[in-house]
Amino acid sequence: MNFDINVLKNDEKAIFYLRSLYKKYGYSQYKMSKFEEYDLYVRNKDFLVSDNIITFTDTNGKLMALKPDVTLSIIKNSKDEKNTVQKVYYNENVYRVTNAAHSFKEIMQVGLECIGDIDTYNIYEVLFLAAKSLESISKDFVLDISHIGIVSSVIKSLDLSPEAQKKIMECIGEKNVHGILNICNNEGKDAKNLVKLVSSYGTPKKVCDVLTQIATDETKDDISELLKIVDFLSQNGFGDKIHIDFSVVNDTKYYNGFVFKGFINGIASGILSGGQYDKLMQKMGKKSKAIGFAVYLDMLQRLSEDEKKYDVDAIILYDEKSDLKALADAVSLLCANGKSVTAQKQIPEKLKYKQLLKLQERGVEILENNA
């Protein structure tokens, strides 16, 4: 069967490619209900992109919610199994308030989760697939990678008050160096290494020197793991697409280790987000480790679709006296040659076309040719 992929929108193309990509790497599709018990989301509101949730009361009296997230459901239904890794992908509709519309929308979200006895290879593979996912949407992309273990260790070494630590994390996420300096000065702490870390951004080669300067016994293993994985990614064709950015920080109550965000040219905010969430697993009573990411397909609507100069390649005009078999044959011939065609008795208003044809007794006559 011939299929013209150009009829698909950006998000539809992404879904087809990403599903194929994840299946190729051994990820099984995860299917779930459209709703979960509301309590699941209430207990983990900080983990959600938005805490606005659509709820309803089920026939048994339980308060249910249209799912705003997929990861929590996957964790809830996962099993702790030693020495194994569960690899799943999903393309599911979620229901949440979007930043663009400021209202509830049904959004198709595609992503994957890797749960179980996670090792360095599993982390590399997830980051590799995140980069491949971005590349499938646009060649002009960047995957920013951070490591919460490194950031947390540097902050911990400052021995700040809990309130100051919370404010510091907010400043890091905003790349607010001035705010970091003010907080540390107020508590009599030297913020030099932390400022170096947050200010460093770019390719692994560029950031490596800074990491060497701030390395301690507490950070050396995390730094070694970070550099090893980004080096693997560079060797596999993503050298100029991988940036280290320690301002990428997720909630430390849920996340640990690697966190990352993906950006493509033309969209200001991140289109992909992910990380290691072992702490979330523990919070939900699981012993396994986990890492995953989601691609926010609603963001693709902001990409300008290729503007089509014409609605159809050709219009064939006919009338009541026309030979219907000849008309059908003419339409079929044009379609077989890869053209789009509409048969009309008169030209539809505002329809843009390349050719205007008219069915005659001796065949098809060209009346206009705008190509």
Side-chain angles (χ1 to χ4, degrees), residues 140-171:
D140 193 1
F141 76 91
V142 171
L143 181 63
D144 286 345
I145 301 175
S146 178
H147 197 297
I148 287 182
I150 299 171
V151 177
S152 297
S153 292
V154 174
I155 294 174
K156 186 179 178 181
S157 69
L158 296 174
D159 195 26
L160 299 167
S161 66
E163 184 61 28
Q165 288 185 41
K166 183 179 178 182
K167 289 180 179 177
I168 283 283
M169 289 300 289
E170 291 174 0
C171 290

Side-chain angles (χ1 to χ4, degrees), residues 315-330:
I315 299 175
I316 298 181
L317 295 177
Y318 70 100
D319 56 35
E320 288 80 0
K321 298 179 181 178
S322 297
D323 183 333
L324 294 185
K325 184 180 184 307
L327 176 62
D329 288 346

Side-chain angles (χ1 to χ4, degrees), residues 37-166:
E37 290 186 30
Y38 177 63
D39 188 52
L40 173 66
Y41 303 118
V42 170
R43 293 195 306 269
N44 302 285
K45 269 194 172 185
D46 293 343
F47 180 76
L48 303 175
V49 174
S50 168
D51 60 4
N52 292 297
I53 300 171
I54 300 173
T55 61
F56 65 95
T57 303
D58 205 350
T59 54
N60 58 9
K62 284 186 178 179
L63 188 60
M64 307 296 288
L66 284 175
K67 64 177 186 287
D69 175 83
V70 180
T71 301
L72 291 172
S73 294
I74 293 176
I75 295 172
K76 176 186 170 185
N77 294 297
S78 67
K79 296 179 180 179
D80 285 320
E81 295 180 358
K82 291 184 179 180
N83 302 319
T84 60
V85 176
Q86 180 185 7
K87 297 181 178 183
V88 298
Y89 78 89
Y90 59 85
N91 64 281
E92 294 280 344
N93 288 321
V94 294
Y95 305 86
R96 65 167 68 122
V97 174
T98 64
N99 293 329
H102 303 291
S103 59
F104 279 105
K105 285 191 68 178
E106 182 180 46
I107 301 166
M108 177 59 77
Q109 184 172 300
V110 178
L112 60 80
E113 310 294 346
C114 192
I115 297 172
D117 188 15
I118 302 300
D119 59 18
T120 302
Y121 173 76
N122 299 134
I123 296 170
Y124 158 75
E125 183 179 82
V126 169
L127 285 163
F128 173 78
L129 290 174
K132 292 289 286 184
S133 299
L134 292 167
E135 184 183 50
S136 73
I137 296 167
S138 171
K139 301 297 182 184
D140 193 1
F141 76 91
V142 171
L143 181 63
D144 286 345
I145 301 175
S146 178
H147 197 297
I148 287 182
I150 299 171
V151 177
S152 297
S153 292
V154 174
I155 294 174
K156 186 179 178 181
S157 69
L158 296 174
D159 195 26
L160 299 167
S161 66
E163 184 61 28
Q165 288 185 41
K166 183 179 178 182

Side-chain angles (χ1 to χ4, degrees), residues 54 56 122 142 205 216 236 245 263 294 319 359-360 366 370:
I54 300 173
F56 65 95
N122 299 134
V142 171
K205 185 178 180 180
T216 63
N236 282 282
D245 182 0
F263 301 84
D319 56 35
L359 187 66
Q360 307 281 22
I366 299 176
N370 300 316

Side-chain angles (χ1 to χ4, degrees), residues 305-361:
E305 297 280 348
D306 294 334
E307 185 178 351
K308 292 185 177 180
K309 190 174 179 181
Y310 302 104
D311 298 310
V312 292
D313 291 318
I315 299 175
I316 298 181
L317 295 177
Y318 70 100
D319 56 35
E320 288 80 0
K321 298 179 181 178
S322 297
D323 183 333
L324 294 185
K325 184 180 184 307
L327 176 62
D329 288 346
V331 170
S332 296
L333 181 61
L334 286 168
C335 289
N337 287 324
K339 296 184 181 298
S340 58
V341 57
T342 179
Q344 301 281 351
K345 290 183 178 177
Q346 62 182 29
I347 302 171
E349 187 178 358
K350 296 183 179 179
L351 187 73
K352 294 178 287 186
Y353 54 89
K354 287 183 182 179
Q355 284 188 320
L356 180 64
L357 311 173
K358 186 176 177 66
L359 187 66
Q360 307 281 22
E361 287 185 14

